[in-house]
Tab-separated table of all heavy atoms in Angstrom:
chain	number	residue	atom	x	y	z
A	1	LYS	N	0.837	-1.197	0.000
A	1	LYS	CA	0.000	0.000	0.000
A	1	LYS	C	0.879	1.258	0.000
A	1	LYS	O	2.103	1.191	0.093
A	1	LYS	CB	-0.946	-0.011	1.201
A	1	LYS	CG	-1.885	-1.209	1.202
A	1	LYS	CD	-2.739	-1.258	2.452
A	1	LYS	CE	-3.601	-2.518	2.475
A	1	LYS	NZ	-4.381	-2.655	3.713
A	2	THR	N	0.248	2.398	-0.064
A	2	THR	CA	0.977	3.659	-0.166
A	2	THR	C	1.937	3.864	0.992
A	2	THR	O	3.059	4.356	0.813
A	2	THR	CB	-0.017	4.837	-0.227
A	2	THR	OG1	-0.896	4.646	-1.343
A	2	THR	CG2	0.724	6.156	-0.372
A	3	HIS	N	1.520	3.488	2.190
A	3	HIS	CA	2.344	3.723	3.381
A	3	HIS	C	3.015	2.449	3.868
A	3	HIS	O	3.193	2.247	5.073
A	3	HIS	CB	1.479	4.332	4.487
A	3	HIS	CG	0.845	5.642	4.105
A	3	HIS	ND1	1.583	6.795	3.921
A	3	HIS	CD2	-0.449	5.972	3.849
A	3	HIS	CE1	0.765	7.791	3.576
A	3	HIS	NE2	-0.471	7.318	3.519
A	4	GLU	N	3.419	1.592	2.934
A	4	GLU	CA	4.125	0.364	3.306
A	4	GLU	C	5.361	0.695	4.144
A	4	GLU	O	6.101	1.638	3.851
A	4	GLU	CB	4.540	-0.401	2.054
A	4	GLU	CG	5.371	-1.640	2.344
A	4	GLU	CD	5.755	-2.388	1.082
A	4	GLU	OE1	4.893	-3.089	0.529
A	4	GLU	OE2	6.918	-2.238	0.641
A	5	GLN	N	5.569	-0.113	5.185
A	5	GLN	CA	6.724	0.090	6.066
A	5	GLN	C	7.194	-1.255	6.589
A	5	GLN	O	6.384	-2.074	7.039
A	5	GLN	CB	6.348	1.015	7.235
A	5	GLN	CG	7.504	1.324	8.167
A	5	GLN	CD	7.082	2.224	9.327
A	5	GLN	OE1	5.901	2.275	9.687
A	5	GLN	NE2	8.027	2.937	9.901
A	6	VAL	N	8.489	-1.491	6.539
A	6	VAL	CA	9.085	-2.697	7.112
A	6	VAL	C	10.150	-2.249	8.113
A	6	VAL	O	11.112	-1.570	7.739
A	6	VAL	CB	9.710	-3.607	6.039
A	6	VAL	CG1	10.321	-4.853	6.688
A	6	VAL	CG2	8.665	-4.008	5.002
A	7	VAL	N	9.953	-2.601	9.367
A	7	VAL	CA	10.893	-2.230	10.424
A	7	VAL	C	11.610	-3.498	10.875
A	7	VAL	O	10.973	-4.455	11.317
A	7	VAL	CB	10.175	-1.570	11.620
A	7	VAL	CG1	11.187	-1.056	12.633
A	7	VAL	CG2	9.273	-0.442	11.144
A	8	ARG	N	12.923	-3.512	10.758
A	8	ARG	CA	13.724	-4.681	11.078
A	8	ARG	C	14.628	-4.380	12.263
A	8	ARG	O	15.117	-3.260	12.407
A	8	ARG	CB	14.578	-5.110	9.880
A	8	ARG	CG	13.792	-5.294	8.584
A	8	ARG	CD	14.719	-5.526	7.401
A	8	ARG	NE	13.986	-5.623	6.133
A	8	ARG	CZ	13.677	-4.595	5.364
A	8	ARG	NH1	14.034	-3.369	5.741
A	8	ARG	NH2	13.004	-4.767	4.245
A	9	GLY	N	14.887	-5.390	13.080
A	9	GLY	CA	15.791	-5.192	14.212
A	9	GLY	C	15.592	-6.252	15.258
A	9	GLY	O	14.963	-7.286	15.031
A	10	THR	N	16.136	-6.009	16.443
A	10	THR	CA	15.922	-6.918	17.567
A	10	THR	C	14.521	-6.682	18.143
A	10	THR	O	13.898	-5.634	17.882
A	10	THR	CB	16.963	-6.699	18.667
A	10	THR	OG1	16.768	-5.377	19.215
A	10	THR	CG2	18.381	-6.814	18.114
A	11	LEU	N	14.066	-7.620	18.928
A	11	LEU	CA	12.749	-7.437	19.553
A	11	LEU	C	12.725	-6.191	20.437
A	11	LEU	O	11.714	-5.484	20.481
A	11	LEU	CB	12.390	-8.675	20.372
A	11	LEU	CG	11.987	-9.915	19.574
A	11	LEU	CD1	11.801	-11.113	20.497
A	11	LEU	CD2	10.704	-9.654	18.782
A	12	ALA	N	13.830	-5.918	21.126
A	12	ALA	CA	13.888	-4.713	21.964
A	12	ALA	C	13.770	-3.455	21.107
A	12	ALA	O	13.048	-2.507	21.459
A	12	ALA	CB	15.184	-4.698	22.771
A	13	GLU	N	14.469	-3.426	19.980
A	13	GLU	CA	14.398	-2.261	19.091
A	13	GLU	C	13.003	-2.100	18.501
A	13	GLU	O	12.492	-0.969	18.386
A	13	GLU	CB	15.434	-2.415	17.979
A	13	GLU	CG	16.871	-2.299	18.465
A	13	GLU	CD	17.882	-2.725	17.421
A	13	GLU	OE1	17.493	-3.437	16.455
A	13	GLU	OE2	19.073	-2.367	17.571
A	14	LEU	N	12.383	-3.194	18.138
A	14	LEU	CA	11.037	-3.123	17.565
A	14	LEU	C	10.025	-2.674	18.610
A	14	LEU	O	9.088	-1.931	18.293
A	14	LEU	CB	10.640	-4.477	16.986
A	14	LEU	CG	11.463	-4.926	15.771
A	14	LEU	CD1	11.046	-6.321	15.332
A	14	LEU	CD2	11.309	-3.951	14.612
A	15	HIS	N	10.203	-3.109	19.852
A	15	HIS	CA	9.286	-2.660	20.911
A	15	HIS	C	9.419	-1.156	21.132
A	15	HIS	O	8.419	-0.446	21.295
A	15	HIS	CB	9.565	-3.415	22.211
A	15	HIS	CG	8.718	-2.955	23.349
A	15	HIS	ND1	9.212	-2.270	24.429
A	15	HIS	CD2	7.362	-3.052	23.542
A	15	HIS	CE1	8.224	-1.976	25.254
A	15	HIS	NE2	7.095	-2.432	24.746
A	16	THR	N	10.658	-0.662	21.114
A	16	THR	CA	10.870	0.789	21.253
A	16	THR	C	10.186	1.540	20.118
A	16	THR	O	9.542	2.574	20.328
A	16	THR	CB	12.377	1.106	21.262
A	16	THR	OG1	12.986	0.451	22.381
A	16	THR	CG2	12.612	2.604	21.358
A	17	TRP	N	10.333	1.023	18.903
A	17	TRP	CA	9.665	1.657	17.753
A	17	TRP	C	8.147	1.661	17.928
A	17	TRP	O	7.484	2.681	17.683
A	17	TRP	CB	10.042	0.917	16.476
A	17	TRP	CG	9.140	1.245	15.318
A	17	TRP	CD1	9.188	2.351	14.524
A	17	TRP	CD2	8.021	0.468	14.868
A	17	TRP	NE1	8.176	2.312	13.594
A	17	TRP	CE2	7.441	1.164	13.780
A	17	TRP	CE3	7.466	-0.738	15.265
A	17	TRP	CZ2	6.325	0.682	13.102
A	17	TRP	CZ3	6.354	-1.231	14.583
A	17	TRP	CH2	5.792	-0.528	13.510
A	18	ALA	N	7.576	0.538	18.353
A	18	ALA	CA	6.122	0.415	18.447
A	18	ALA	C	5.537	1.305	19.534
A	18	ALA	O	4.370	1.709	19.439
A	18	ALA	CB	5.734	-1.045	18.703
A	19	THR	N	6.323	1.612	20.558
A	19	THR	CA	5.819	2.455	21.646
A	19	THR	C	6.113	3.931	21.430
A	19	THR	O	5.672	4.776	22.211
A	19	THR	CB	6.427	2.009	22.994
A	19	THR	OG1	7.867	2.004	22.891
A	19	THR	CG2	5.948	0.623	23.371
A	20	SER	N	6.848	4.251	20.364
A	20	SER	CA	7.194	5.657	20.110
A	20	SER	C	6.099	6.400	19.363
A	20	SER	O	6.158	7.619	19.213
A	20	SER	CB	8.506	5.736	19.322
A	20	SER	OG	8.346	5.149	18.036
A	21	GLY	N	5.099	5.688	18.876
A	21	GLY	CA	3.986	6.313	18.151
A	21	GLY	C	2.928	5.280	17.853
A	21	GLY	O	3.088	4.090	18.166
A	22	ASP	N	1.841	5.706	17.256
A	22	ASP	CA	0.752	4.783	16.930
A	22	ASP	C	1.146	3.868	15.780
A	22	ASP	O	1.706	4.310	14.774
A	22	ASP	CB	-0.510	5.558	16.547
A	22	ASP	CG	-1.101	6.313	17.729
A	22	ASP	OD1	-0.861	5.895	18.871
A	22	ASP	OD2	-1.789	7.329	17.495
A	23	VAL	N	0.855	2.576	15.954
A	23	VAL	CA	1.032	1.604	14.875
A	23	VAL	C	-0.291	1.509	14.130
A	23	VAL	O	-1.324	1.215	14.739
A	23	VAL	CB	1.446	0.223	15.425
A	23	VAL	CG1	1.588	-0.780	14.290
A	23	VAL	CG2	2.747	0.332	16.210
A	24	LEU	N	-0.275	1.753	12.833
A	24	LEU	CA	-1.508	1.798	12.051
A	24	LEU	C	-1.458	0.779	10.928
A	24	LEU	O	-0.390	0.415	10.437
A	24	LEU	CB	-1.716	3.202	11.476
A	24	LEU	CG	-1.763	4.357	12.478
A	24	LEU	CD1	-1.822	5.695	11.740
A	24	LEU	CD2	-2.943	4.201	13.425
A	25	GLY	N	-2.637	0.333	10.493
A	25	GLY	CA	-2.743	-0.516	9.318
A	25	GLY	C	-2.610	-2.000	9.611
A	25	GLY	O	-2.535	-2.429	10.766
A	26	GLU	N	-2.579	-2.787	8.541
A	26	GLU	CA	-2.444	-4.235	8.644
A	26	GLU	C	-1.006	-4.584	9.027
A	26	GLU	O	-0.061	-4.092	8.413
A	26	GLU	CB	-2.793	-4.896	7.310
A	26	GLU	CG	-4.184	-4.543	6.781
A	26	GLU	CD	-5.273	-5.333	7.474
A	26	GLU	OE1	-4.943	-6.369	8.102
A	26	GLU	OE2	-6.441	-4.924	7.386
A	27	VAL	N	-0.850	-5.456	10.022
A	27	VAL	CA	0.481	-5.782	10.543
A	27	VAL	C	0.769	-7.272	10.399
A	27	VAL	O	-0.052	-8.111	10.781
A	27	VAL	CB	0.608	-5.369	12.026
A	27	VAL	CG1	1.930	-5.867	12.613
A	27	VAL	CG2	0.496	-3.854	12.172
A	28	THR	N	1.939	-7.579	9.845
A	28	THR	CA	2.440	-8.947	9.783
A	28	THR	C	3.824	-8.959	10.409
A	28	THR	O	4.664	-8.116	10.069
A	28	THR	CB	2.530	-9.450	8.332
A	28	THR	OG1	1.258	-9.307	7.692
A	28	THR	CG2	2.948	-10.912	8.288
A	29	VAL	N	4.052	-9.887	11.328
A	29	VAL	CA	5.325	-9.965	12.045
A	29	VAL	C	6.063	-11.231	11.614
A	29	VAL	O	5.460	-12.296	11.487
A	29	VAL	CB	5.114	-9.983	13.573
A	29	VAL	CG1	6.452	-10.073	14.306
A	29	VAL	CG2	4.351	-8.742	14.022
A	30	VAL	N	7.367	-11.088	11.385
A	30	VAL	CA	8.225	-12.239	11.097
A	30	VAL	C	9.255	-12.340	12.214
A	30	VAL	O	9.981	-11.382	12.487
A	30	VAL	CB	8.936	-12.094	9.740
A	30	VAL	CG1	9.755	-13.362	9.446
A	30	VAL	CG2	7.930	-11.845	8.620
A	31	LEU	N	9.304	-13.484	12.853
A	31	LEU	CA	10.231	-13.737	13.956
A	31	LEU	C	11.322	-14.678	13.473
A	31	LEU	O	11.029	-15.741	12.898
A	31	LEU	CB	9.475	-14.368	15.129
A	31	LEU	CG	10.291	-14.761	16.363
A	31	LEU	CD1	10.826	-13.522	17.061
A	31	LEU	CD2	9.424	-15.583	17.316
A	32	ALA	N	12.562	-14.306	13.692
A	32	ALA	CA	13.669	-15.159	13.262
A	32	ALA	C	13.649	-16.477	14.017
A	32	ALA	O	13.248	-16.546	15.187
A	32	ALA	CB	14.998	-14.449	13.496
A	33	GLY	N	14.091	-17.524	13.360
A	33	GLY	CA	14.211	-18.813	14.027
A	33	GLY	C	15.249	-18.757	15.134
A	33	GLY	O	16.205	-17.971	15.086
A	34	ALA	N	15.066	-19.594	16.142
A	34	ALA	CA	16.004	-19.625	17.264
A	34	ALA	C	17.335	-20.228	16.824
A	34	ALA	O	17.380	-21.137	15.995
A	34	ALA	CB	15.414	-20.432	18.413
A	35	GLU	N	18.409	-19.714	17.371
A	35	GLU	CA	19.713	-20.295	17.103
A	35	GLU	C	19.862	-21.590	17.886
A	35	GLU	O	19.310	-21.741	18.981
A	35	GLU	CB	20.821	-19.312	17.492
A	35	GLU	CG	20.822	-18.034	16.659
A	35	GLU	CD	21.959	-17.113	17.034
A	35	GLU	OE1	22.759	-17.510	17.922
A	35	GLU	OE2	22.055	-16.026	16.459
A	36	ALA	N	20.610	-22.510	17.310
A	36	ALA	CA	20.820	-23.796	17.986
A	36	ALA	C	21.566	-23.580	19.294
A	36	ALA	O	22.552	-22.841	19.353
A	36	ALA	CB	21.613	-24.743	17.086
A	37	ARG	N	21.055	-24.220	20.336
A	37	ARG	CA	21.706	-24.117	21.636
A	37	ARG	C	22.654	-25.302	21.831
A	37	ARG	O	22.335	-26.428	21.462
A	37	ARG	CB	20.680	-24.119	22.767
A	37	ARG	CG	19.791	-22.897	22.803
A	37	ARG	CD	18.941	-22.903	24.037
A	37	ARG	NE	18.101	-24.103	24.122
A	37	ARG	CZ	17.440	-24.469	25.218
A	37	ARG	NH1	17.548	-23.770	26.315
A	37	ARG	NH2	16.681	-25.550	25.207
A	38	GLU	N	23.789	-25.026	22.454
A	38	GLU	CA	24.712	-26.114	22.766
A	38	GLU	C	24.185	-26.870	23.970
A	38	GLU	O	23.872	-26.277	25.008
A	38	GLU	CB	26.105	-25.557	23.052
A	38	GLU	CG	27.160	-26.625	23.275
A	38	GLU	CD	28.540	-26.042	23.452
A	38	GLU	OE1	28.707	-24.843	23.164
A	38	GLU	OE2	29.440	-26.779	23.881
């Protein structure tokens, strides 16, 4: 759409972005797969 926006980063960075203003429109979230643990 006209106001397409993709915000990438860590979950902490994305939370800061989401609380800095109103989130508008249809939202789809992609979460990275977990890294293998030893």
Side-chain angles (χ1 to χ4, degrees):
K1 300 176 184 176
T2 302
H3 300 291
E4 176 179 283
Q5 182 181 23
V6 180
V7 186
R8 308 172 184 88
T10 65
L11 286 174
E13 291 168 341
L14 294 176
H15 177 249
T16 299
W17 165 80
T19 55
S20 64
D22 292 335
V23 178
L24 303 174
E26 304 281 342
V27 173
T28 305
V29 180
V30 183
L31 178 68
E35 296 182 2
R37 293 187 302 168
E38 185 176 347

